[in-house]
Amino acid sequence: MKQKVSVVTGGCGFLGSHLCEKLLGENHKVFCLDSLITGSLENISHLLSNKSFVFVECDVTEFISIEENVDFVWHFASPASPIDYLKLPIQTLKVGALGTHKALGLAKAKNARFFLASTSEVYGDPLIHPQKENYWGNVNPIGYRGVYDEAKRFAEAMTMAYHRYHNLETRIVRIFNTYGPRMRINDGRAIPSFISQCLRNENVTVFGDGSQTRSVCYVDDLIDGIYRLMMSNNFEPINIGNPDEITILQLAQEIIELIKSKSKIIFERLPQDDPKIRRPDISKANEILNWFPKVDRKTGLEKTLQYFKTKING
Ligand code: UDP
């Protein structure tokens, strides 16, 4: 059988690099595109010797040029942590809008199937719980997080327009909080922050009173769901995430216990528009993709901890 060809934008990022690995395991040829603004070559260094792997440093908000036939375009490029998109508001909007347009254009030119990495942030600070795909969300368009939320909402609209107007095969996943090896230590998200603070015996910074909830999914489960979605016939958005909900304070306590750290919890100001609750309703992924997460939080946090130990202790 002819080798399938995949293009992964944001292939040097946390999720993108795990996806590249998965696709190589499925015998795809992989073009990994990244501007290296938030992605890192270290995430793919172990893939560079693979003959089926090609790294292209480029900015996908500009024209994307691939000479070969392409079967699948996976659009994962974007800053993805609140700290990153506060620092890079315009790049975040550009990659969600212009980058999605260019990646869709590539898929259309190659008659490839297109996959959009969207987000639970499209639901904003949600007024229904858990969040089902038919919920339209509660987003502040002009808040600090709006640059990410609105870019992804635009990206979904653009993807559906290409699907409807150009008959392009498209898939949209709404990714809920995901964690695992290759998250950046300083990306500001809760799990890398708490683990690195514990390993350095620094105070653990819980924002607000820590009563806000998240539901965290281990990266291997997420990538499995994403691959299943691409290979399915479902073009409507699907939530992928782990519905095991926890408060941020509990999460901080669990990590302190896991590491047996002497770190103390301190409370800091809650960032603007920080969602108070978040839990995916995954019944659609369950029914359509026969997908459900398998890795429990203890196991996932343990694996993530091992990774951060090598980064912090060398
Ligand atoms: N958070 C925290 N301390 C930190 C980093 C994050 O208490 O050092 C909180 C943050 O305010 C949010 C939750 O943890 O309520 C999850 O934040 P994260 O940045 O991981 O992802 P989000 O779901 O907000 O995009």
Side-chain angles (χ1 to χ4, degrees):
M1 211 172 65
K2 212 171 151 295
Q3 189 178 30
K4 298 284 182 209
V5 179
S6 275
V7 172
V8 179
T9 77
C12 295
F14 163 47
L15 296 181
S17 64
H18 283 277
L19 177 62
C20 289
E21 221 170 74
K22 164 81 176 166
L23 294 171
L24 291 170
E26 299 288 340
N27 194 32
H28 289 214
K29 173 163 186 178
V30 176
F31 286 89
C32 163
L33 277 42
D34 209 298
S35 66
L36 302 178
I37 293 178
T38 56
S40 132
L41 281 179
E42 217 179 308
N43 287 340
I44 55 149
S45 56
H46 61 299
L47 305 178
L48 289 170
S49 60
N50 189 320
K51 281 200 291 296
S52 296
F53 184 78
V54 183
F55 169 63
V56 185
E57 185 173 343
C58 67
D59 179 344
V60 297
T61 64
E62 312 274 340
F63 186 79
I64 306 172
S65 169
I66 304 280
E67 309 240 307
E68 280 185 52
N69 288 337
V70 176
D71 299 291
F72 302 103
V73 176
W74 311 74
H75 184 41
F76 277 68
S78 178
S81 83
I83 283 198
D84 284 343
Y85 44 78
L86 295 188
K87 247 189 300 184
L88 303 164
I90 302 189
Q91 286 93 332
T92 303
L93 282 159
K94 280 179 73 178
V95 76
L98 308 180
T100 302
H101 184 219
K102 295 286 180 284
L104 280 161
L106 174 70
K108 177 169 157 271
K110 302 285 182 181
N111 202 15
R113 190 176 288 186
F114 176 83
F115 188 101
L116 174 67
S118 185
T119 167
S120 57
E121 289 281 327
V122 300
Y123 303 123
D125 190 3
L127 304 178
I128 68 145
H129 195 64
Q131 292 78 54
K132 255 182 158 10
E133 289 87 348
N134 60 9
Y135 178 49
W136 292 351
N138 177 39
V139 171
N140 173 4
I142 57 161
Y144 290 102
R145 296 176 86 106
V147 296
Y148 183 66
D149 303 7
E150 296 297 359
K152 291 290 188 180
R153 288 168 69 97
F154 175 89
E156 287 198 11
M158 191 66 146
T159 301
M160 289 307 293
Y162 266 67
H163 174 74
R164 294 189 179 116
Y165 188 74
H166 291 305
N167 289 317
L168 191 72
E169 284 254 40
T170 57
R171 307 286 179 263
I172 300 174
V173 67
R174 291 186 181 149
I175 298 172
F176 282 67
N177 294 68
T178 303
Y179 69 99
R182 303 202 200 121
M183 290 185 98
R184 289 193 344 262
I185 297 176
N186 299 325
D187 89 350
R189 283 187 277 195
I191 291 179
S193 299
F194 295 166
I195 293 182
S196 58
Q197 288 162 343
C198 284
L199 289 176
R200 292 173 172 141
N201 286 317
E202 294 168 2
N203 289 329
V204 170
T205 53
V206 167
F207 299 160
D209 63 4
S211 62
Q212 68 275 29
T213 68
R214 295 293 185 273
S215 312
V216 296
C217 183
Y218 188 65
V219 62
D220 290 357
D221 281 333
L222 182 94
I223 296 293
D224 174 42
I226 278 173
Y227 186 79
R228 284 173 192 242
L229 174 56
M230 181 61 121
M231 299 306 154
S232 77
N233 293 323
N234 184 81
F235 63 85
E236 289 183 338
I238 285 208
N239 292 336
I240 299 278
N242 190 325
D244 191 8
E245 188 178 3
I246 184 172
T247 69
I248 291 300
L249 181 58
Q250 270 176 294
L251 182 63
Q253 286 162 341
E254 265 187 29
I255 290 174
I256 291 173
E257 268 168 46
L258 177 76
I259 301 180
K260 299 191 178 40
S261 163
K262 294 192 180 61
S263 293
K264 299 269 167 294
I265 291 176
I266 56 164
F267 295 91
E268 292 189 352
R269 200 177 54 79
L270 190 68
Q272 190 196 20
D273 299 329
D274 197 287
K276 287 180 266 313
I277 42 175
R278 183 181 287 157
R279 168 156 56 101
D281 181 319
I282 56 165
S283 38
K284 213 169 150 184
N286 202 282
E287 277 159 37
I288 298 178
L289 311 176
N290 190 25
W291 177 86
F292 50 90
K294 299 191 182 89
V295 182
D296 62 71
R297 202 165 50 238
K298 189 162 188 314
T299 312
L301 286 176
E302 187 66 62
K303 290 187 186 196
T304 310
L305 171 62
Q306 293 318 316
Y307 171 80
F308 280 112
K309 274 187 179 162
T310 64
K311 292 286 142 192
I312 288 182
N313 302 326

